[in-house]
Amino acid sequence: MIDLSRSALILVDIQNDFLPGGALAVPEGDCILDAVNMLATRPFRAVIATQDWHPENHCSFTAQSGPWPPHCVAGTHGADFPETLTPAPVTHIIRKGVLQDRDSYSGFLDNDRATSTGLDGLLRGLGVEQVVICGLALDYCVAATALDACHYGYCTYVVPEACRGIAADPGSALEKLEKQGVLLKSVDAY
Ligand code: VGL
Ligand code: ZN
């Protein structure tokens, strides 16, 4: 069994723009919410939500020659957590991608690998040794967050049914994570 008192649940980018109808909708993104809300009621040391939080002219947007349509602009409805996410269990929020000139897929480090979001320090301060990760999108921000968690030395779990990806085939993303040391365990394992 996983000792939840030394574990944090990390909810990656569960925001309106990544849900159906949003600016960068992940197919079936809304299908994870029951599992996520259930997980969040378990007695984790902390429940940490990451929030993609971009300035209007962010470098990742197509108008700036980036790969993505404008999404999760700071302070907009698209950047909000959905009403269907039960907010009460969330103990901390980590915002990422906040600087104009760099993006952050990982909840730990910007893509330049130099700028920290503060998540590692937060987890260390809380005495967390294990992290359980779910959210959107499996093949981008969930994967990057899980790989960094492994590299920082956390025992890292991903909950497959509480994730959805942008690409159609989740298998390859999950396989890649497993190969790099991430453990896959479904909701009832916690
Ligand atoms: C994400 C693309 C751009 C994600 C964020 O949360 O996976 N993907 N920004
Ligand atoms: Zn983004």
Side-chain angles (χ1 to χ4, degrees):
M1 260 319 253
I2 302 157
D3 180 0
L4 296 187
S5 73
R6 289 184 298 128
S7 306
L9 177 66
I10 302 179
L11 313 180
V12 176
D13 296 6
I14 305 177
Q15 294 169 258
N16 289 321
D17 269 345
F18 296 121
L19 295 170
L24 185 39
V26 176
E28 297 180 1
D30 52 335
C31 296
I32 69 171
L33 283 158
D34 284 348
V36 169
N37 285 329
M38 218 277 285
L39 274 172
T41 64
R42 306 282 299 131
F44 286 97
R45 170 79 52 98
V47 178
I48 301 167
T50 70
Q51 193 172 26
D52 218 34
W53 192 261
H54 300 315
E56 253 171 43
N57 60 344
H58 191 243
C59 63
S60 76
F61 297 170
T62 41
Q64 319 289 325
S65 322
W68 307 110
H71 65 279
C72 297
V73 172
T76 63
H77 173 78
D80 276 351
F81 301 117
E83 280 175 7
T84 41
L85 179 70
T86 310
V90 174
T91 56
H92 304 80
I93 294 172
I94 292 281
R95 289 182 172 160
K96 62 186 188 60
V98 302
L99 299 176
Q100 191 279 329
D101 65 342
R102 65 203 76 172
D103 202 5
S104 188
Y105 290 160
S106 163
F108 287 89
L109 283 178
D110 288 356
N111 294 354
D112 63 8
R113 315 311 290 156
T115 317
S116 165
T117 63
L119 178 55
D120 179 50
L122 172 65
L123 293 171
R124 264 171 224 291
L126 292 167
V128 165
E129 293 165 10
Q130 305 175 116
V131 295
V132 177
I133 301 176
C134 61
L136 307 169
L138 173 63
D139 37 1
Y140 289 90
C141 291
V142 173
T145 302
L147 293 177
D148 275 351
C150 277
H151 292 146
Y152 276 110
Y154 299 96
C155 179
T156 305
Y157 296 87
V158 162
V159 190
E161 73 269 42
C163 301
R164 288 294 185 280
I166 292 174
D169 171 24
S172 58
L174 292 171
E175 232 171 73
K176 187 178 150 204
L177 290 176
E178 252 190 322
K179 276 200 189 117
Q180 310 223 29
V182 174
L183 304 166
L184 306 181
K185 278 205 194 299
S186 73
V187 174
D188 18 282
Y190 307 99

